Amino acid sequence: MKILLVFDFDNTIIDDNSDTWIVQCAPEKKLPIELQDSYKKGFWTEFMGRVFKYLGDEGVREDEMKRAVISMPFAPGMVELLNFIRKNRDKFDCIIISDSNSVFIDWVLEATNFLDVFDKVFTNPAAFDSSGHLTVGNYHAHSCNRCPQNLCKNVVLVEFVDKQLKQGVNYTQIVYIGDGGNDVCPVTFLKKNDVAMPRKGYTLQKTLSRMSQNLEPMESSVVVWSSGVEIISHLQILIKE
């Protein structure tokens, strides 16, 4: 019987947003106004597709993008947390559900030797095409009206847990570690025994705190974190129980 740890990536594992970080590769480290203005709410992945095309057209190559991405700092205490999870792999399964992309996440986890900590990464598929442009697609299609059209993290989480159950893996609880607006949907579906761990001062924490003020029902407990070291302390309590 294991605990399932679910991580977001941007502003949770790493201390920035990989999609906005990559803009430093652009000429003068900024995007043209018309490209910036082309973003429509709920269609971030399409917008990033245009950003990657622009970078490619401007001659920004894969190795340059990789250097930028792997220079992103980890969130405070995150290295310690991932090492703690690695030492306790018999007690945890660990997945990432992220609105970043597969290329960026692989680069970071490979460069930092943390690929082995995660059982599965669910994110938007990306690859370099024959002309050296990074292309990105939607992770899936779904019918949830709360989430951007390319990814509902709750659908992903529920499907993963169901699939594991069919293979005889039943989790005692789920611990969800995230920060953003698109983490609200999966967190509100957590059950009584589960733990939502929003990062202090970020959208998820502010939203959950507003929900509790409005007395909107939420079954799971909520534990706020600023450093991965605080998450370790909480996980140590859970595995002792």
Side-chain angles (χ1 to χ4, degrees), residues 57-236:
D57 290 344
E58 290 295 324
V60 177
R61 287 291 156 256
E62 181 175 339
D63 58 341
E64 196 180 334
M65 291 173 79
K66 185 173 185 176
R67 267 199 310 277
V69 168
I70 65 177
S71 72
M72 278 186 297
F74 272 75
M78 204 41 71
V79 168
E80 291 85 342
L81 172 59
L82 297 181
N83 281 321
F84 170 79
I85 294 165
R86 179 186 274 145
K87 283 197 197 86
N88 291 278
R89 282 310 311 251
D90 58 322
K91 299 181 185 74
F92 303 113
D93 277 353
C94 202
I95 63 173
I96 290 173
I97 309 177
S98 165
D99 207 357
S100 178
N101 68 72
S102 57
V103 167
F104 286 3
I105 294 176
D106 280 350
W107 279 347
V108 169
L109 296 182
E110 267 173 31
T112 53
N113 288 321
F114 282 125
L115 264 178
D116 65 307
V117 172
F118 298 96
D119 297 283
K120 202 116 178 58
V121 176
F122 299 93
T123 189
N124 302 302
F128 284 88
D129 65 16
S130 55
S131 56
H133 290 50
L134 182 59
T135 60
V136 61
N138 289 350
Y139 174 71
H140 62 180
H142 62 84
S143 54
C144 171
N145 57 13
R146 292 161 44 145
C147 291
Q149 66 144 22
N150 63 297
L151 178 66
C152 168
K153 293 188 175 192
N154 183 57
V155 167
V156 175
L157 179 54
V158 168
E159 282 175 359
F160 176 76
V161 169
D162 286 351
K163 195 172 163 197
Q164 290 291 87
L165 197 52
K166 288 194 179 84
Q167 293 172 353
V169 180
N170 191 4
Y171 296 111
T172 54
Q173 60 196 143
I174 297 170
V175 178
Y176 192 105
I177 302 154
D179 73 282
N182 63 359
D183 295 314
V184 174
C185 184
V187 160
T188 49
F189 283 100
L190 294 174
K191 303 285 187 289
K192 200 171 78 166
N193 203 22
D194 300 332
V195 187
M197 298 198 79
R199 187 174 182 183
K200 188 178 182 179
Y202 285 73
T203 306
L204 177 61
Q205 188 245 321
K206 290 173 183 167
T207 307
L208 295 182
S209 129
R210 200 166 54 242
M211 283 169 63
S212 75
Q213 283 160 5
N214 299 342
L215 303 176
E216 293 178 44
M218 221 183 94
E219 286 187 50
S220 75
S221 57
V222 176
V223 178
V224 177
W225 64 279
S226 299
S227 161
V229 177
E230 295 161 281
I231 301 175
I232 294 174
S233 302
H234 196 72
L235 294 181
Q236 283 171 325

